[in-house]
């Protein structure tokens, strides 16, 4: 391992984000890194004994990254007494298994609640006050308005980052931090603690208004609606400026963001790992308080951005099916996409391909990745493992063509079974292969989602990685003729070198009509096109 003076690290010696042309990437040990991840269930990483059974699982799923909680209650069981054993053992073990770690700091908030705060915090409600509901009832949510809570948590998070730096700066096993988890107010949209009420009566802070005014043309359309109610006012109390159903939420978002930013900033002072905050997505039509409100949701993301400059990006957790809808909202204004949690269902393999191809995401990670250790991999797990393997193989070309409109992704199912996209001179029509009707399951009611990444590597040369997708091409420049397949090879990358396994033709391309793959087979193909 390189010997690194941990006292004087330059930004380049710490995992960091970097912009390549249009897209961000995560750089680890000086090289672009793509997180082929999985997030652990909430209680697995509480002892190393409980972790034992799952390490081999990560290997068989072809993960290169695990998302693991660090629990404030276990890190600092008594105030000022830190127990680093678990964190340290996890890092060492991950390193041995050739895995990177994204630490999820379960600090003041985890799924809206403050369940992971240490007992000494929970029991001293005088010093660490709770949020209050409308009629003054106590919530199991620490109020974000307490300086004392902030100070105590900053101290814990600082210790954590300092320790990670000491034991890991030379290795870069830990590559990213997530302070808090799915912050939100439930069931009361606003904290009614007296400290909160006091702030609510005050003027909207000037830094927020200044940010909104300066970025007005770029703000989220749903947020603009909230601000528009009172005519885009740029001074006054929260109710005067916003005066809408979402006023409470905007107010809370600002103070949650400010608090979380101070946690993140303090951690970065110790060890400047990049940091993101995740969001539990809201159901359509639900009112603030009916969903975890005030987290970094698209309609209030601008407020978060204004108040948390030390958070590098914001990320959606998926337990609902509208994948494209939410991702489109998250990648606005230069926010890179990372999917830290996706319900581990049979859509994850296809969605990983789509996220990495279409959004050039920093990574993807199903939630509760270790489910049923000891059993052979089930269908969706095997699919994910195969997809991660092919993405790993094509990673050098993904890096090479990143941010240049040369990479695309498709996600198809029974409802949306066709999609068009353009690469270079070619317009592609991608179809779910069940549309063609020849596969055994094509007649079944359930269609497993299909997904693919397509990369343009030459004027007429492309790579395909995926499953269940067929492609037809049209030349946009030369519309007089038609496009034929000159050559298609099925193959794989070995030590970065392309190896042909089969030359595909005949039935395997429908006599030259389609690039095709099967729903049950994840493949990589290289193909060249010509006009006739
Ligand atoms: C997630 C996970 C974990 C059908 C839920 C999602 C994780 C947290 N919360 O298993 O608790 O730590 O970030 C909440 C959304 C559930 C909606 C279910 C709809």
């Amino acid at each position: 391992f390189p010997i690194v003076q941990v006292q004087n690290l330059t930004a380049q010696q710490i995992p960091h984000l970097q912009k390549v042309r249009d897209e961000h990437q995560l750089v680890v040990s000086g090289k672009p890194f793509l997180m082929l991840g999985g997030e652990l269930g909430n209680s697995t990483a509480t002892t190393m004994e409980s972790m034992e059974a799952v390490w081999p699982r990560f290997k068989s799923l072809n993960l290169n990254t695990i998302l693991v909680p660090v629990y404030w209650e276990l890190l600092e069981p008594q105030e000022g007494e830190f127990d680093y054993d678990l964190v340290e053992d996890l890092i060492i073990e991950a390193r041995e298994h050739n895995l990177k770690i994204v630490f999820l700091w379960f600090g003041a908030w985890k799924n809206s609640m403050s369940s992971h705060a240490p007992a000494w915090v929970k029991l001293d409600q005088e010093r660490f006050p709770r949020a209050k509901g409308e009629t003054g009832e106590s919530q199991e949510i620490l109020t974000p308005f307490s300086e004392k809570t902030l100070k105590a948590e900053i101290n814990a998070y600082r210790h954590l980052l300092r320790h990670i730096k000491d034991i890991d700066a030379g290795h870069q096993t830990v590559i990213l931090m997530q302070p808090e988890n799915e912050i939100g107010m439930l069931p009361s949209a606003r904290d009614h603690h007296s400290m909160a009420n006091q702030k609510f009566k005050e003027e909207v802070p000037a830094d927020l208004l200044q940010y909104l005014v300066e970025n007005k043309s770029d703000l989220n359309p749903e947020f603009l609606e909230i601000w528009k109610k009172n005519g885009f006012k740029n001074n006054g109390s929260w109710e005067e400026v916003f005066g809408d159903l979402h006023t409470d939420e905007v107010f809370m978002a600002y103070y949650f963001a400010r608090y979380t930013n101070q946690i993140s900033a303090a951690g970065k002072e110790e060890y400047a790992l990049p940091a993101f905050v995740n969001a539990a997505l809201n159901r359509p039509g639900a009112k603030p308080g009916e969903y975890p409100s005030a987290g970094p949701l698209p309609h209030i993301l601008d407020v978060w951005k204004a108040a948390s400059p030390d958070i590098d990006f914001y990320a959606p957790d998926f337990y609902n099916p509208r994948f494209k809808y939410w991702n489109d909202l998250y990648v606005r204004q230069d926010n890179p996409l990372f999917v830290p949690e996706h319900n581990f269902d049979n859509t994850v393999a296809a969605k990983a391909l789509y996220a990495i191809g279409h959004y050039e995401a920093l990574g993807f990670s199903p939630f509760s990745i270790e489910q049923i250790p000891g059993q052979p991999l089930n269908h969706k797990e095997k699919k994910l493992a195969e997809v991660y393997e092919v993405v790993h193989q094509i990673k050098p070309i993904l890096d090479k063509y990143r941010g240049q409109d040369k990479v695309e992704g498709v996600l198809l199912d029974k409802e949306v079974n066709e999609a068009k996209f353009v690469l270079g001179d070619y317009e592609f029509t991608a179809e779910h292969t069940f549309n063609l009707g020849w596969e055994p399951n094509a007649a079944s009611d359930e269609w497993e989602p299909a997904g693919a990444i397509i990369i343009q590597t030459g004027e007429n040369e492309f790579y395909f990685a995926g499953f269940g997708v067929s492609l037809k091409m049209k030349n946009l420049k030369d519309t007089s003729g038609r496009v034929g397949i000159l050559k298609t090879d099925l193959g794989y990358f070995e030590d970065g070198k392309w190896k042909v396994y089969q030359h595909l033709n005949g039935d395997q391309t429908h006599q030259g009509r389609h690039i095709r793959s099967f729903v049950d087979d994840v493949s990589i193909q290289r193909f060249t096109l010509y006009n006739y």
Side-chain angles (χ1 to χ4, degrees):
F1 292 107
I3 296 168
V4 174
Q5 278 295 343
V6 293
Q7 294 318 312
N8 310 302
L9 297 170
T10 67
Q12 295 302 314
Q13 289 171 310
I14 304 175
H16 59 276
L17 289 166
Q18 144 185 310
K19 194 124 191 233
V20 228
R21 294 165 288 262
D22 283 352
E23 299 287 347
H24 297 269
Q25 65 186 182
L26 185 59
V27 179
V28 178
S29 300
K31 289 198 258 6
F33 191 80
L34 177 60
M35 292 178 277
L36 304 174
E39 179 166 326
L40 286 166
N42 293 160
S43 303
T44 308
T46 51
T47 71
M48 289 312 280
E49 191 180 345
S50 146
M51 285 295 288
E52 243 166 60
V54 300
W55 293 106
R57 198 72 174 173
F58 303 149
K59 256 262 104 52
S60 55
L61 287 163
N62 292 327
L63 309 186
N64 65 14
T65 305
I66 50 172
L67 282 70
V68 197
V70 177
Y71 317 87
W72 188 7
E73 56 179 332
L74 299 188
L75 182 77
E76 195 184 8
Q78 308 294 334
E79 186 168 13
E81 286 173 29
F82 290 88
D83 181 348
Y84 298 112
D85 286 356
L86 189 55
V87 168
E88 212 167 298
D89 289 345
L90 283 166
I91 293 176
I92 291 167
E93 194 87 23
R95 211 181 273 158
E96 278 168 10
H97 286 86
N98 212 4
L99 289 163
K100 299 296 181 191
I101 289 181
V102 177
F103 272 136
L104 318 171
W105 170 244
F106 287 6
W109 303 295
K110 153 58 172 96
N111 296 31
S112 300
M113 313 307 279
S114 297
S115 44
H116 292 269
W120 55 269
V121 171
K122 283 182 177 160
L123 294 173
D124 191 349
Q125 293 160 29
E126 197 65 40
R127 186 171 156 213
F128 305 112
R130 306 297 185 89
K132 298 244 190 295
E134 231 157 305
T135 52
E137 70 280 14
S138 187
Q139 315 281 305
E140 185 144 24
I141 300 177
L142 290 162
T143 175
F145 295 92
S146 160
E147 286 299 323
K148 289 181 184 153
T149 307
L150 176 64
K151 201 172 154 213
E153 193 182 353
I154 282 181
N155 185 51
Y157 193 69
R158 260 189 199 284
H159 275 80
L160 172 64
L161 270 291
R162 195 177 302 159
H163 197 74
I164 295 173
K165 176 183 174 182
D166 285 345
I167 64 168
D168 194 51
H171 302 272
Q172 304 195 15
T173 313
V174 183
I175 57 176
L176 182 63
M177 297 299 297
Q178 178 197 284
E180 315 297 349
N181 186 77
E182 292 190 352
I183 289 170
M185 287 299 288
L186 258 183
S188 166
R190 174 150 62 93
D191 178 3
H192 294 267
H193 191 281
S194 56
M195 287 188 284
N197 292 342
Q198 177 56 36
K199 289 283 183 208
F200 192 65
K201 277 186 249 150
E202 289 174 11
E203 303 261 302
V204 176
D207 61 343
L208 173 59
L209 289 166
Q210 192 188 333
Y211 179 95
L212 297 179
V213 170
E214 279 170 12
N215 293 282
K216 194 169 167 192
S217 62
D218 222 18
L219 300 179
N220 175 290
E222 272 184 277
F223 179 76
L224 277 173
E225 286 301 311
I226 297 171
W227 192 19
K228 196 173 143 186
K229 285 271 157 68
N230 288 346
F232 301 115
K233 247 176 102 51
N234 64 9
N235 58 63
S237 71
W238 292 88
E239 282 179 303
E240 285 162 355
V241 174
F242 300 104
D244 166 86
L245 171 71
H246 287 277
T247 305
D248 288 351
E249 193 183 21
V250 170
F251 165 74
M252 289 307 294
Y254 178 79
Y255 284 103
F256 270 129
R258 240 175 69 155
Y259 181 109
T260 309
N261 191 64
Q262 291 174 81
I263 299 290
S264 185
K268 284 184 176 191
E269 270 173 31
E270 302 296 333
Y271 185 38
L273 288 173
F276 73 100
V277 177
N278 67 335
L281 300 176
N282 47 326
R283 278 168 286 126
K287 292 190 184 65
E290 293 172 359
Y291 57 87
S293 311
L297 288 161
H299 67 282
I300 42 174
L301 203 49
D302 294 303
V303 179
W304 269 85
K305 286 198 155 197
S308 59
D310 295 292
I311 303 292
D312 298 277
F313 61 92
Y314 308 89
D317 291 348
F318 281 94
Y319 295 85
N320 79 59
R322 300 205 289 165
F323 196 62
K324 184 172 162 40
Y325 170 83
W326 290 108
N327 284 336
D328 285 345
L329 290 170
Y330 272 92
V331 297
R332 292 182 74 256
Q333 304 174 2
D334 220 21
N335 189 60
L337 182 65
F338 176 48
V339 180
E341 292 183 37
H342 192 295
N343 189 22
F344 201 168
D345 56 25
N346 78 339
T347 69
V348 290
K351 284 177 183 167
L353 290 166
Y354 183 59
I356 293 164
H358 184 69
Y359 297 97
E360 302 193 40
L362 303 177
F364 185 87
S365 161
F367 178 73
S368 199
I369 194 70
E370 75 281 31
Q371 44 184 236
I372 41 175
Q375 300 293 314
L377 296 188
N378 63 23
H379 183 74
K380 67 185 178 205
E381 292 172 315
K382 228 189 285 167
K383 223 18 160 338
L384 183 73
E386 285 169 17
V387 159
Y388 277 179
E389 170 56 27
V390 300
V391 174
H392 170 73
Q393 288 187 29
I394 63 168
K395 162 94 176 10
I397 38 179
L398 283 173
D399 290 342
K400 184 164 173 200
Y401 294 100
R402 193 174 182 81
Q404 305 166 62
D405 297 325
K406 290 188 185 293
V407 184
E408 253 305 345
V410 273
L411 175 63
L412 300 166
D413 56 23
K414 195 165 189 173
E415 282 72 49
V416 183
N417 50 43
E418 193 182 294
K420 288 192 193 309
F421 60 90
V422 174
L423 287 173
D425 294 345
Y426 294 98
E427 182 192 78
F428 288 77
T429 303
E431 278 182 87
H432 196 294
T433 50
F434 283 2
N435 274 357
L436 306 178
W438 283 303
E439 276 176 78
N441 294 331
S444 65
D445 288 342
E446 285 272 323
W447 283 24
E448 185 179 328
I453 298 174
I454 297 94
I455 311 164
Q456 181 176 26
T457 52
E459 205 186 324
N460 305 307
E461 185 194 78
F462 301 85
Y463 281 87
F464 168 96
F467 62 97
V469 174
S470 75
L471 301 173
K472 278 185 304 213
M473 285 66 66
K474 209 163 88 180
N475 193 317
L476 294 172
K477 270 227 184 108
D478 177 3
T479 49
S480 59
R482 298 169 71 182
V483 174
I485 298 165
L486 199 57
K487 194 172 189 281
T488 319
D489 292 327
L490 176 70
Y492 55 95
F493 284 94
E494 202 177 60
D495 303 324
K497 276 224 162 73
W498 175 242
K499 296 264 170 99
V500 176
Y501 174 69
Q502 277 180 352
H503 174 57
L504 299 182
N505 208 339
D507 292 349
Q508 279 64 51
T509 64
H510 296 148
Q511 334 307 328
R513 289 187 199 94
H514 294 117
I515 298 297
R516 66 180 295 212
S517 63
F518 295 92
V519 169
D520 283 332
D521 251 330
V522 182
S523 68
I524 308 180
Q525 298 180 36
R526 177 162 82 172
F527 59 95
T528 47
L529 305 174
Y530 77 110
N531 299 334
Y532 65 92

